[in-house]
Amino acid sequence: MMRRGHIPELDGVRGLACLLVIFLHVVVAPLPLFPGSWFDLARFRVQPFLNGGVDLFFILSGFLISGILMDSRTSPSYFRSFWLARTSRIFPVYYLMIVFSIVMNWVNANYPSVTAHLVGHATLSVWYYVGFVQNFALALLPGGRASLGVTWSLAIEEQFYLVLPFLVFLLRRQALVALAIGIIVATPVIRGWVVQNVSWNAGYIFTVCRLDALMMGFLIACIVRSERALEIARRAQRGLNWLALVLIALQLGDFWGTVGQIWERGGNSKVALILICAQYPLINLAMACLLLNVFTREAGPFRWLLKTKILMTAGMISYGAYMYHQVFNYALWGWLYGHEPKSMGLAQAYVPVLVLALTAIVALLSHQYFEMPVRRWARRTKSPAPPEGLVPSGA
């Protein structure tokens, strides 16, 4: 069975996911475009992996949250303890950023500047963000709020947290496993339909189009809680690692896009669209296969990597870093160069370094003096305590 208590490698997984997203936004996105060049082609093929940092967050969240719920299912304070822990974890920084967005929107309206506009412009009602439904609003309505752009993923997670406790409480584990597998299989088709009938952006940020990653995390939580399933996973891990490497190689070679184009030229655009959309759950599958190494292998290079200081520290401050980094990114570019992050040359290469440094410093201070005091208060408030289970630091 799984180890109990804090598993440091999971902090490393969280740190890796955070760094992938921040690297995409702060380093890759501002690079100049060279249409048709090998550089743009390489960026196009690597970008799904960097975007995959969000999916890795989803997989890890699905694993941790499902595990906590399964371990505390018989607790008399099952719902109260869970939602108190979640709100103390998510709400303080989240609603601080909403207040910041409101203030900066006022500053932008009354004391306009490039920096104030890049950080503070808002054309979507703040109430969508207050209610955690901005992922639907951003896909269906024009506009947004500059400093809250990354929060669409938080909306998906909060919607997941709202429903999953009832499913775990009411359904047998076998039924939940069958439901999770069905959702994972159906996701590429659902995403393809949404892309075709709504928009590509909707296919990226609608909750029903991202449940596959969350449910993969749920399945891993079930595997590590079953001695028989975990033993099967141990025996299959070498093959799963090879599968992950093959899926990564196919993505780097743009296999799914190429095959999709062949089907499209043959007149079957629906199959082409499904194949193109399938690359995202397949990347998720590769990440899930690699994540299993934490529980099936006693040692190895992947586990060593996850326990490195930089990934574990990044994991510890990942929530604040994720929420704050785009504010510093846009503010510094606006202040120093008068435009959004783009067309970065060698002379501007220091800007990402400043953004990363400021993000790390503020995220560390936020974690130490803002987030952790609230979470310690929530732990003291929970009563009675849930049964001992897998509750890693920062879950």
Side-chain angles (χ1 to χ4, degrees), residues 97 100-102 104-105 108 114-124 129 138 143-151 323-328 330-331:
M97 291 301 295
F100 176 81
S101 174
I102 295 170
M104 288 306 301
N105 187 39
N108 182 46
V114 173
T115 301
H117 175 73
L118 290 175
V119 176
H121 79 274
T123 55
L124 194 64
Y129 296 85
L138 288 167
R145 300 185 75 88
S147 56
L148 300 175
V150 298
T151 62
M323 293 293 285
Y324 304 143
H325 75 278
Q326 283 288 61
V327 170
F328 292 117
Y330 277 82

Side-chain angles (χ1 to χ4, degrees), residues 4 65 360 377:
R4 299 280 174 171
I65 299 308
W377 167 83

Side-chain angles (χ1 to χ4, degrees), residues 303-332:
R303 290 191 62 173
W304 173 87
L305 175 67
L306 294 178
K307 293 178 74 173
T308 55
K309 186 70 172 177
I310 186 170
L311 287 187
M312 291 186 64
T313 302
M316 179 182 70
I317 64 171
S318 59
Y319 181 43
Y322 179 75
M323 293 293 285
Y324 304 143
H325 75 278
Q326 283 288 61
V327 170
F328 292 117
N329 194 26
Y330 277 82
L332 280 176

